[in-house]
Amino acid sequence: MAAAAAALMLTSCSSLSYYTQAAQGQLQLLSDARPIDDWIADTGTSAKLRHRLEAARQIRRFAIQEMQLPDNGSYTNYTSLKRPYVLWNVVATPELSLKPIQWCFPVAGCVNYRGYYSKTDAQAYARQLRAEGHDVEVGGVSAYSTLGWFSDPLVSTFINYPDAELARLIFHELAHQVVYVAGDSQFNESFASAVEQAGVEAWLERFGNPAMSAAYDRYKARKRDFLALLLRYRGELERTYKSMEPDATKRATKGRLFIALQNDYQVLKANWGGYAGYDRFFAEPLSNAHLASVATYNDLVPAFRALLRREKTWTGFYKAVNRLAALDKKERTRVLTGLATTGATGLQVVQRTMSVLP
C-alpha cells in the first residue's frame, strides 16, 4: 500500500490535529528503528527474530539485484512496535454507493483512505463519518510505503510472515518507489501487485523448497477464493444500487446481501479447513466501505503481467510502466484495459501508444 504519510508533513494543514498525528507517527516509527545488523548482533535478540531479519535481508538483496528495485535505506532497519498494526485506515462510502470518499494530499494525490497511527483516533473519525450517514470501515495496516521520501523500516507487524509472504510484501512496497502516479490508486496498486506476484514466483524458483511453495500456493488459493467471494457480492450490490428500486428496498437488499456474504464466508472457511486469516475482515459490521477498494489492487494486474512478459526484463518493464504513467488517466486506463482483455492486440495498442511518447 502507498501511504500519504510522507506528504502529510509537507503541507500547510487544513486539519492540524490530523497532520500532526501523521507526522508524529511517522517520525516515531523512524526514530525507533535500528539497523538490522545491530539487532542480529544484539545478544538480547531472540533466535526467531534474528532468523526473520536474516530472511528479510536476503529478500531485499534479491529485490535489488534480480528485480532492479530501489537500493536505498528502505528495509535496512527494524522497528519493534507494541501494537498489532503500524496504522489504521478509515475507508468510507455513501450509504447506497460503493464509490469511496477520497482525501487529497500533496505528492500522494487523492486516495480512498485516511490513515491514523492510533486505533482510537481512527475509530473516533469513523464515528464522525457514520454520524454523517456514511458507511465506514476501520482496517489495520501492517505496512505501507513512503514512496522513497524516507527509509521504510521492517516492522514487527509483518516480520513474522512466512518467507514467501514477507517477500511479497517487500517487493510490493518497494515497487511503489519505482512508479507512483498521484491520484490513480488502481494503477499504483495493480502495478505493485503485479511486481509482487512475478517477484515471488522468481524468488521461490531460486530459494524456495517444496513445503514453502506448497504453503504459498495455499495462500494464493485462499486469497483467490476470498477475492472472488467479495467481487461476487460487490457486483450484486452495484446492481442493486443502480436499480430503479426505492431506497428502502435497496437498504433491505443490502442487509440481506451482507448476511449472505457472512454465511458464504463460513462455508469457504470450512473448505479451507478452518483457516481464520480473513476473520478480521468481519471484525466490524459489514458495510459498503469493506468492498469499496476490492478491485483497486487486482483489476489491472493481468495487464501489467502481460506487459512484463512482453518486455522480458525488469528494467524494460519499469521503463514501459513509467511511459504509461505519463499518459493522462483516461488514456492510461484505456490502454491497460485493452492489454488485459485482448492479449496480443492489447500489446500492439500499448506499443503504438507508447511509441509516440518521449
Side-chain angles (χ1 to χ4, degrees):
M1 160 177 287
L8 300 182
M9 290 177 278
L10 304 176
T11 178
S12 57
C13 306
S14 60
S15 177
L16 182 59
S17 62
Y18 175 69
Y19 287 100
T20 298
Q21 67 84 30
Q24 291 176 342
Q26 178 63 39
L27 292 173
Q28 188 66 52
L29 186 69
L30 296 175
S31 65
D32 288 347
R34 291 167 51 200
I36 291 175
D37 289 345
D38 289 359
W39 282 95
I40 291 176
D42 191 334
T43 57
T45 299
S46 68
K48 179 181 178 181
L49 177 57
R50 186 175 291 110
H51 173 74
R52 302 312 303 144
L53 293 173
E54 289 170 345
R57 186 163 56 182
Q58 180 269 331
I59 290 166
R60 179 182 178 275
R61 188 181 305 119
F62 180 87
I64 294 165
Q65 295 177 353
E66 303 298 328
M67 299 174 64
Q68 281 75 59
L69 287 168
D71 183 6
N72 50 36
S74 292
Y75 306 122
T76 60
N77 298 324
Y78 171 71
T79 298
S80 180
L81 299 178
K82 293 181 172 59
R83 58 181 189 263
Y85 300 106
V86 65
L87 54 77
W88 285 262
N89 278 344
V90 178
V91 179
T93 71
E95 179 194 12
L96 297 175
S97 170
L98 289 164
K99 184 176 182 179
I101 294 170
Q102 291 196 324
W103 292 271
C104 299
F105 309 101
V107 181
C110 297
V111 294
N112 301 338
Y113 54 84
R114 186 159 162 156
Y116 290 85
Y117 287 86
S118 162
K119 184 178 181 180
T120 300
D121 290 346
Q123 290 174 328
Y125 187 58
R127 286 194 296 272
Q128 177 184 328
L129 290 170
R130 289 188 182 105
E132 295 171 0
H134 299 301
D135 275 21
V136 185
E137 179 201 15
V138 177
V141 176
S142 298
Y144 63 85
S145 172
T146 58
L147 310 179
W149 285 89
F150 301 102
S151 296
D152 298 326
L154 299 165
V155 186
S156 54
T157 53
F158 63 82
I159 195 62
N160 289 316
Y161 285 6
D163 284 5
E165 293 181 44
L166 180 62
R168 174 195 66 78
L169 185 147
I170 290 174
F171 299 158
H172 185 106
E173 302 304 341
L174 285 175
H176 283 308
Q177 297 184 23
V178 175
V179 181
Y180 184 85
V181 179
D184 195 343
S185 295
Q186 185 181 47
F187 177 87
N188 297 327
E189 298 300 344
S190 291
F191 162 69
S193 294
V195 170
E196 77 171 56
Q197 289 180 11
V200 171
E201 290 167 9
W203 182 85
L204 280 171
E205 186 175 344
R206 174 79 65 85
F207 298 105
N209 56 50
M212 191 183 296
S213 296
Y216 192 65
D217 285 343
R218 289 193 296 273
Y219 161 82
K220 289 193 299 181
R222 290 191 296 259
K223 183 176 181 180
R224 182 184 62 244
D225 292 347
F226 188 62
L227 177 62
L229 176 69
L230 298 186
L231 288 174
R232 176 157 61 88
Y233 278 95
R234 178 189 167 95
E236 293 190 34
L237 283 166
E238 284 181 326
R239 287 189 288 274
T240 297
Y241 297 150
K242 290 178 180 178
S243 74
M244 300 303 293
E245 297 290 341
D247 285 354
T249 302
K250 292 179 181 180
R251 291 188 185 98
T253 302
K254 172 184 174 181
R256 288 195 298 272
L257 287 173
F258 281 136
I259 291 172
L261 170 55
Q262 289 179 298
N263 292 337
D264 282 353
Y265 170 67
Q266 292 304 318
V267 174
L268 192 59
K269 185 175 172 181
N271 291 337
W272 293 335
Y275 174 78
Y278 289 101
D279 281 6
R280 68 187 183 99
F281 184 85
F282 301 89
E284 296 183 335
L286 288 179
S287 71
N288 295 329
H290 284 72
L291 302 176
S293 301
V294 169
T296 299
Y297 285 72
N298 302 280
D299 273 6
L300 298 178
V301 170
F304 284 111
R305 293 299 303 267
L307 187 56
L308 177 57
R309 288 192 296 271
R310 187 200 103 179
E311 295 297 330
K312 296 184 175 61
T313 68
W314 288 105
T315 299
F317 174 58
Y318 299 147
K319 288 181 179 178
V321 174
N322 268 297
R323 295 173 75 181
L324 280 174
L327 300 171
D328 66 71
K329 184 174 181 177
K330 183 177 180 179
E331 178 65 8
R332 184 166 58 243
T333 302
R334 185 190 69 80
V335 171
L336 284 167
T337 301
L339 176 55
T341 57
T342 59
T345 301
L347 285 169
Q348 293 165 8
V349 170
V350 171
Q351 195 161 14
R352 288 197 301 271
T353 302
M354 290 168 48
S355 66
V356 301
L357 296 176

